[in-house]
Amino acid sequence: MPTSTPDALRDVSVIIVGAGFSGLGLGIQLRRRGETSFVILERADDVGGSWRDNTYPGVACDVPSPLYSYSFRTNPDWSRMFSPGQEIWDYLRAAAREEGLGPHLRFGAEMLEARWNENDHRWTVRTPQGEFYGDVLVAATGHLTDIKLPEVPGLETFTGELFHSARWNHDFPLAGKRIGVVGTGASAIQIVPQLAEIADQLVVFQRSAPYIQPRRDRVFSEAEKNLFRRDQRTVEEMREMLFWYNDSRFAARRLIDDYLAEASWQALSHLDKQVSDPELRAKLTPDYTIGCKRILLSDDYYPAIQRPNVHLEAAALERVEGSTAFSAAGEAFELDVLVVATGFETYDLPSSYRIFGRGGNALADHWSNGMQAYKSIATAGFPNLFLLNGPGTSLGHNSVIYMIEAQIDHLLAALDWRSAHDGRVLEVSSEIENAFAKRLDEGAAETVIIRGGCSSWYLDPRNGRATLSWPDFAHRFRDECAPFDPAAYDHGEQSAARA
């Protein structure tokens, strides 16, 4: 009988979980360094993370494309300043292919359990494709991957078509249907203008109004793209300009009066220009300080809301009975379709329930009072575990790819140190982790996320901590978190010799 070929990457130096921007970015850098002993485990059937999963009509990035890409792999061919999701997914797929990551990728390999072995000081990751063994485990699972459904009584009894924005049903015809959209966040404001064009009736359930600033999108001309292709420096110069402009916007999040007033004016003047009806404008006016929730960018959301077939219900979806959706204001709407654009599991990561460190302790239990990690990358009680795009990395004003690259630099330096010191175990103490977390909490207390008078996905509702956010300028994250300091790690243990 034929026998299957053993997987050469079943036992490696580095196991990476997740093939989005974080996991692929680390994989590319390892390959460029000549490393071959690593595997990237991906639960889906392709790379791309959020950009593979989000295929809803109008999906696009709200960070400028030249900045929302790897600094070590710039793209001169972006079609526009804010590229569509398909282009970003294509960019990631091309990066994986052209950088030679194919042999290192394992699809359909969801991390069912990752467990630290106290005897040989290594990680075992159990997947549907079997077990994988590694010296170092890198959790690059992100926090915008596991969908979150609203807790609405009767939602499961809805007799029409129901789906989350990140699990779009392209097989169901939406033209001429009565559609409800739950939520007014970053995805919803891109979806609503598209559905308004084809729906018979569209109801938007708004729990709280977002601040929306002009998008100022534009197409890159062929002349510009030709220049980008000929001279790499022009792309780098644009990236640098965009980065420092965006980073300056953090001053508003620190409640600096002039910057806060400017940010608020940009949003509210945009609303005034696009919405003339005072009653509707009042419903669309936020009741919290700008920056407390993510500031959104759109030029077509407000016009879409004013279409005759669109109704803004300035109240949350309260319950569902059959085909009828009831708002918290008591209004009833007969619907054929419900699209829930209600975000993701962000503060209580599902992946944390599958990672077990010393003594068999779950990462979720370690994080029961909120996610935290030393330099946003290392956690006490979880040796040789590194987190990419985890706690303390989210931004509301700049590109998360910049943050990811800073973490990759830290991680690569840690791997180099291990190689030079007989593969010693790296683990931070609780004291060091807690001290770093305390500094972030103190910094967050001075920002609009805590003091802005709203609830948002940046906050852990269990304790009110801003566990996801970096409470400072992005460039300070690189200054502080990219360098690797071996003195911060307890590396007294030697890795066990392999059999």
Side-chain angles (χ1 to χ4, degrees), residues 409-423:
D409 287 350
H410 182 110
L411 206 164
L412 293 175
L415 295 178
D416 287 342
W417 190 93
R418 288 190 75 251
S419 296
H421 293 81
D422 300 319

Side-chain angles (χ1 to χ4, degrees), residues 75-375:
N75 178 20
D77 295 316
W78 294 119
S79 66
R80 55 194 314 118
M81 184 63 74
F82 296 95
S83 290
Q86 182 66 49
E87 279 190 42
I88 301 171
W89 187 20
D90 289 343
Y91 167 81
L92 288 170
R93 296 167 84 184
R97 181 178 63 253
E98 295 169 8
E99 297 283 351
L101 294 186
H104 298 271
L105 287 160
R106 299 293 180 270
F107 297 116
E110 180 177 9
M111 178 183 67
L112 302 176
E113 178 186 276
R115 192 171 290 273
W116 174 253
N117 188 309
E118 300 278 6
N119 296 321
D120 63 7
H121 301 155
R122 305 189 77 218
W123 285 94
T124 299
V125 179
R126 182 167 58 86
T127 81
Q129 305 297 329
E131 292 186 341
F132 292 82
Y133 310 93
D135 301 322
V136 170
L137 176 64
V138 180
T141 54
H143 46 251
L144 299 178
T145 53
D146 296 290
I147 62 173
K148 183 175 184 178
L149 297 176
E151 296 180 0
V152 174
L155 185 65
E156 72 284 357
T157 69
F158 181 60
T159 56
E161 185 68 17
L162 168 70
F163 51 86
H164 191 278
S165 58
R167 302 292 184 267
W168 199 268
N169 185 358
H170 292 277
D171 295 328
F172 187 84
L174 296 173
K177 296 295 193 296
R178 299 167 300 177
I179 306 173
V181 174
V182 182
T184 52
S187 296
I189 69 160
Q190 295 180 345
I191 292 168
V192 166
Q194 304 297 315
L195 295 184
E197 296 281 347
I198 61 173
D200 176 55
Q201 298 173 25
L202 179 63
V203 180
V204 180
F205 293 92
Q206 172 189 276
R207 184 178 60 181
S208 62
Y211 281 96
I212 302 176
Q213 294 179 340
R215 189 168 181 80
R216 299 191 178 95
D217 194 11
R218 70 176 184 85
V219 172
F220 285 121
S221 68
E222 285 304 313
E224 285 178 301
K225 288 188 280 188
N226 286 333
L227 178 61
F228 295 155
R229 295 182 193 113
R230 288 196 309 268
D231 189 350
Q232 171 73 19
R233 291 174 301 176
T234 59
V235 181
E236 294 170 353
E237 288 168 359
M238 176 173 284
R239 283 177 59 91
E240 186 171 0
M241 180 270 292
L242 290 168
F243 173 81
W244 287 111
Y245 167 75
N246 281 315
D247 222 29
S248 70
R249 296 166 57 217
F250 178 75
R253 297 170 74 85
R254 283 296 297 270
L255 299 169
I256 305 301
D257 288 342
D258 289 347
Y259 289 90
L260 194 66
E262 172 63 21
S264 183
W265 177 85
Q266 286 187 30
L268 295 180
S269 65
H270 183 51
L271 173 60
D272 288 344
K273 290 175 183 177
Q274 291 203 319
V275 180
S276 58
D277 181 350
E279 184 178 348
L280 179 59
R281 193 165 60 235
K283 292 180 179 179
L284 291 165
T285 301
D287 60 358
Y288 53 87
T289 305
I290 189 168
C292 187
K293 295 178 183 283
R294 187 174 182 88
I295 300 172
L296 309 181
L297 304 177
S298 178
D299 295 323
D300 56 2
Y301 177 73
Y302 288 145
I305 287 293
Q306 297 171 85
R307 291 175 61 101
N309 65 326
V310 179
H311 172 74
L312 176 69
E313 179 65 4
L317 176 64
E318 186 175 62
R319 72 183 192 278
V320 175
E321 296 178 5
S323 62
T324 309
F326 294 87
S327 76
E331 298 295 322
F333 303 91
E334 288 294 317
L335 300 174
D336 304 308
V337 182
L338 259 179
V339 178
V340 289
T342 48
F344 303 87
E345 298 287 354
T346 54
Y347 68 87
D348 191 19
L349 297 182
S351 60
S352 68
Y353 289 84
R354 302 182 179 192
I355 299 175
F356 299 88
R358 290 195 186 279
N361 294 322
L363 184 58
D365 291 335
H366 182 69
W367 282 349
S368 60
N369 193 40
M371 289 192 301
Q372 61 181 46
Y374 166 71
K375 303 292 188 184

Side-chain angles (χ1 to χ4, degrees), residues 148 346-349 364 367-372 441 449-450 455-469:
K148 183 175 184 178
T346 54
Y347 68 87
D348 191 19
L349 297 182
W367 282 349
S368 60
N369 193 40
M371 289 192 301
Q372 61 181 46
D441 287 344
I449 292 176
I450 298 293
S455 61
S456 75
W457 62 268
Y458 294 119
L459 297 178
D460 187 332
R462 297 172 296 185
N463 47 50
R465 295 175 60 201
T467 54
L468 277 171
S469 299

